[in-house]
């Protein structure tokens, strides 16, 4: 028998249906959808509504102080607008905050699918046979305890390359053995693509799905979802276990709608796991106030220290970048690097500069590609670089975190630029030295003057290494 769920949640839904969702409606479970997103024809839609498998909720709430969006939680009145609507024959208000996921309007309902689905229970779902280090095992035990309890929070604060994904495996094993539904959400599409094959290999029999902007499959019907945090706007009370990876990453840490969506996507009684290498001020404050339990891991899984960035003053950098070039000293350094066995990741502050520098290096007969967030060949280029089809990849901050290349050096050009804050620089440096076979990648920050983020990032890495030595 399934446990009936009835709850109130921040005035979002008056109640969750008592009726158990039929087994053939998992694609609706815990979903919050517009009419055109519902994968049912009209007769089946009417049947689902009559059985309370789906219930209608207003798309926008109207309060004395203004409107509130029921999908993204937006209450900023300047983010609402009016548009003529043919269906009702009048100008209707809609939410501009989440417009990229379809228009939520005053005169049209959202459809909420009952989350009460009986998910499979697995006897031994994990196929991964590796061994965890002492520190990894400590974190894994803490994660498993929270998942077994069925409620509570836990922050895993672990350095880049500590092996956070593997730490999840014991807890995920317990979750799937208990028939729980799990979501691992992350702000970056590239991280979703990176995680999916690793998790499929670890849990080959668990139905799994990746959800992101361009993902080929968007049913959202699997027991285990790996999704970008934006996709959580389409879920409510859906998951027994919610894991947020890279909680400090843009845009998650700056977007109230994404925080709202991640909390609503989890069931009222749920396990919440947060992963990060660079906690933000909000997490530090909660840790100090002892309202957020934390496990701290300052050492990489292979036991080697983090590569400490070199700070290289490059006075003529701006002069050359304005002309789509780089200084001779930097060019010479790249040529020297190409004599090594490692590939090279070059981080630039903007898309324009990434493309310009890639083209400039090609003039010097180098094999190089550039990639950025809007690049239609983004996934193919990253995969080709991983396969070592070319030695140099020039990128923006989209590859600052969550992607692993076995043997790379990392250069950050104009590292004092405002786009590179402390967290970004720590994460970028963390791309190097991740393999136990080559743990000593070179990291260089080329700058025109030292900034606080530059110095703080370097000091943070050195501090982690000092703490790691004590373990």
């Amino acid at each position: 028998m399934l446990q009936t769920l009835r709850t109130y949640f921040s005035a979002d839904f008056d109640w969750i249906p008592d009726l158990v969702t039929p087994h053939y409606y998992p694609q609706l479970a815990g979903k919050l959808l517009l009419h055109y997103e519902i994968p049912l024809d009209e007769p089946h839609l009417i049947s689902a509504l009559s059985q309370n498998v789906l219930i209608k909720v207003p798309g926008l709430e109207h309060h004395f102080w203004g409107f509130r969006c029921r999908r993204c939680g937006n209450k900023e009145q300047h983010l609402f607008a009016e548009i003529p609507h043919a269906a009702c024959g009048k100008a209707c208000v809609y939410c501009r905050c989440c417009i990229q996921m379809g228009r939520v309007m005053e005169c049209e309902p959202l459809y909420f699918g009952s989350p009460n689905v009986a998910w499979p229970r697995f006897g031994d779902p994990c196929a991964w046979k590796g061994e965890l280090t002492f520190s990894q095992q400590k974190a894994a035990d803490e994660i498993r305890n929270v998942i077994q309890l069925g409620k509570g929070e836990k922050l895993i604060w672990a350095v880049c390359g500590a092996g956070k994904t593997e730490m999840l495996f014991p807890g995920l094993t317990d979750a799937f053995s208990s028939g729980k539904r799990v979501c691992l959400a992350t702000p970056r599409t590239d991280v979703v693509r990176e995680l999916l094959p690793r998790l499929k290999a670890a849990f080959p029999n668990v139905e799994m799905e990746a959800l992101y902007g361009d993902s080929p499959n968007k049913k959202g019907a699997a027991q285990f979802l790996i999704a970008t945090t934006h996709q959580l706007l389409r879920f409510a009370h859906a998951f027994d276990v919610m894991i947020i990876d890279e909680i400090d990453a843009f845009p998650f840490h700056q977007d109230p709608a994404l925080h709202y969506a991640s909390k609503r996507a989890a069931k009222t009684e749920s396990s919440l796991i947060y992963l990060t290498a660079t906690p933000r001020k909000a997490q530090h404050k909660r840790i100090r106030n002892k309202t957020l339990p934390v496990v701290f891991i300052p050492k990489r899984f292979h036991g080697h220290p983090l590569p400490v960035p070199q700070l290289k003053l490059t006075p003529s950098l701006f002069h050359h970048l304005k002309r789509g070039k780089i200084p001779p000293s930097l060019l010479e350094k790249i040529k020297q690097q190409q004599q090594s066995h490692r590939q090279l990741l070059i981080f630039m502050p903007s898309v324009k500069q990434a493309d310009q520098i890639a083209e400039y290096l090609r003039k010097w007969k180098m094999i190089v590609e550039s990639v950025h967030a809007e690049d239609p060949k983004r996934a193919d280029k990253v995969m080709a670089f991983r396969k070592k089809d070319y030695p140099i990849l020039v990128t923006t901050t989209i590859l600052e975190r969550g992607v692993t290349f076995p043997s790379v050096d990392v250069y950050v050009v104009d590292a004092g630029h405002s786009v590179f804050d402390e967290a970004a620089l720590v994460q970028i440096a963390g791309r190097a030295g991740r393999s136990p076979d080559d743990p000593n990648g070179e990291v260089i920050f080329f700058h025109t003057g030292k900034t606080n983020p530059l110095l703080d990032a370097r000091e943070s890495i050195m501090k982690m290494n000092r703490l790691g030595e004590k373990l």
Side-chain angles (χ1 to χ4, degrees):
M1 293 291 292
L2 289 175
Q3 182 179 0
T4 296
L5 176 63
R6 179 184 292 272
T7 183
Y8 288 85
F9 185 84
S10 304
D12 270 39
F13 305 100
D14 293 332
W15 57 279
I16 292 177
D18 282 335
L19 292 178
V20 173
T21 306
H23 70 278
Y24 48 84
Y25 280 132
Q27 67 267 41
L28 302 177
K31 300 289 280 294
L32 193 60
L33 302 172
L34 298 168
H35 186 277
Y36 75 87
E37 295 176 312
I38 299 173
L40 301 176
D41 57 22
E42 199 63 26
H44 285 94
L45 174 59
I46 293 171
S47 175
L49 289 168
S50 68
Q51 298 177 66
N52 279 345
V53 169
L54 281 174
I55 61 170
K56 292 182 180 181
V57 296
L60 300 182
E61 289 178 330
H62 195 190
H63 298 272
F64 71 92
W65 41 260
F67 287 97
R68 175 176 177 265
C69 179
R70 297 289 287 276
R71 183 170 66 185
C72 71
N74 169 45
K75 295 187 289 186
E76 299 293 333
Q77 298 306 297
H78 69 278
L79 292 176
F80 292 97
E82 285 188 346
I83 188 173
H85 194 247
C88 65
K90 65 176 184 178
C92 285
V93 176
Y94 70 96
C95 177
R96 294 192 295 118
C97 183
C98 57
I99 186 65
Q100 75 276 9
M101 303 193 78
R103 187 179 286 120
V104 177
M105 300 196 68
E106 174 187 12
C107 59
E108 293 183 357
L110 290 166
Y111 295 81
F112 172 52
S114 169
N116 293 326
V117 169
W119 299 100
R121 295 172 181 261
F122 296 86
D124 187 16
C126 187
W128 185 73
K129 301 304 179 185
E131 293 186 3
L132 300 175
T133 66
F134 175 82
S135 296
Q136 285 179 315
Q137 189 64 58
K138 178 183 176 183
D141 290 343
E142 295 276 0
I143 293 169
R144 184 167 52 191
N145 289 340
V146 173
I147 290 176
Q148 288 178 340
L149 185 62
K151 60 182 179 180
E153 295 178 292
K154 185 70 68 173
L155 172 66
I156 308 302
W157 178 1
V159 297
C160 300
K164 291 187 286 292
T165 303
E166 288 74 16
M167 298 175 202
L168 297 172
F169 290 171
L172 291 176
T173 297
D174 281 1
F176 298 133
S177 298
S178 304
K180 294 183 177 181
R181 195 181 192 194
V182 179
C183 179
L184 197 167
T186 179
R188 302 293 178 88
T189 296
D190 297 282
V191 180
V192 175
R193 292 194 183 107
E194 173 101 1
L195 287 173
L196 182 64
R198 294 172 62 187
L199 292 168
K200 277 188 173 181
F203 298 93
N205 296 320
V206 178
E207 187 181 5
M208 202 174 302
E209 185 179 338
L211 289 178
Y212 51 91
D214 298 324
S215 58
N217 183 0
K218 286 191 171 63
K219 289 182 180 179
Q223 183 173 3
F224 188 15
L225 294 183
I226 302 98
T228 56
T229 47
H230 275 92
Q231 295 298 319
L232 297 181
L233 290 167
R234 291 194 173 98
F235 290 90
H237 307 293
F239 303 105
D240 302 286
V241 179
M242 174 64 70
I243 303 166
I244 307 293
D245 191 14
E246 308 290 0
I247 59 169
D248 62 294
F250 176 86
F252 182 78
H253 81 96
Q254 292 181 332
D255 193 336
L258 297 182
H259 285 266
Y260 172 86
S262 66
K263 291 178 181 178
R264 186 188 60 198
K267 292 181 179 180
T268 305
E269 290 284 314
S270 59
S271 306
L272 305 174
I273 311 296
Y274 311 119
L275 309 176
T276 184
T278 48
R280 299 281 180 171
K281 290 181 179 179
Q283 288 87 47
H284 280 295
K285 182 177 180 180
R286 291 192 62 194
I287 292 169
R288 287 195 302 271
N289 294 338
K290 298 184 179 180
T291 60
L292 179 60
V294 61
V295 178
F296 180 55
I297 304 174
K299 199 167 189 176
R300 288 183 156 180
F301 77 94
H302 53 53
H304 294 272
L306 299 159
V308 178
Q310 305 172 47
L311 307 185
K312 294 286 187 182
L313 180 64
T314 316
S316 63
L317 187 59
F318 288 163
H319 173 73
H320 286 87
L321 288 178
K322 286 180 180 179
R323 297 186 295 165
K325 301 179 180 181
I326 54 177
S329 60
L330 176 51
L331 178 62
E332 188 61 31
K333 181 62 180 175
I334 293 173
K335 289 180 179 179
Q336 293 174 5
Q337 193 279 337
Q338 289 299 283
Q339 305 304 313
S340 72
H341 65 280
R342 298 191 186 104
Q343 293 174 281
L344 178 61
L345 272 173
I346 301 177
F347 286 83
M348 302 297 300
S350 70
V351 172
K352 180 181 177 181
Q353 289 177 331
D355 289 340
Q356 285 178 337
I357 298 312
E359 185 60 33
Y360 178 71
L361 293 177
R362 291 188 192 103
K363 293 178 180 178
W364 291 90
K365 309 302 180 183
M366 297 186 192
I367 302 173
V368 57
E369 280 288 352
S370 64
V371 67
H372 53 83
E374 303 303 321
D375 190 335
K377 297 181 180 180
R378 169 180 171 181
D380 293 336
K381 289 180 178 179
V382 173
M383 181 58 68
F385 186 70
R386 183 172 286 114
K387 293 179 179 178
K388 299 187 176 183
D389 289 350
Y390 43 87
I392 303 175
L393 182 61
V394 186
T395 182
T396 58
T397 55
I398 61 160
L399 296 184
E400 74 178 33
R401 61 181 72 222
V403 292
T404 298
F405 306 106
S407 185
V408 296
D409 290 328
V410 174
Y411 295 172
V412 183
V413 178
D414 192 11
H417 193 284
S418 59
V419 75
F420 298 120
D421 61 12
E422 178 189 349
L425 290 170
V426 170
Q427 292 281 357
I428 288 170
R431 298 313 99 203
R434 298 175 74 90
S435 170
D437 298 324
D438 184 18
N440 301 310
E442 185 176 51
V443 180
I444 304 179
F445 294 164
F446 296 91
H447 65 93
T448 58
K450 293 178 182 178
T451 63
N452 286 335
L454 273 177
L455 298 173
D456 291 343
R458 191 170 187 271
E459 177 56 33
S460 175
I461 291 169
M462 295 170 66
K463 180 180 178 180
M464 289 293 185
N465 286 341
R466 290 194 296 269
L467 292 171
E469 289 178 357
K470 296 179 181 179
L471 289 180

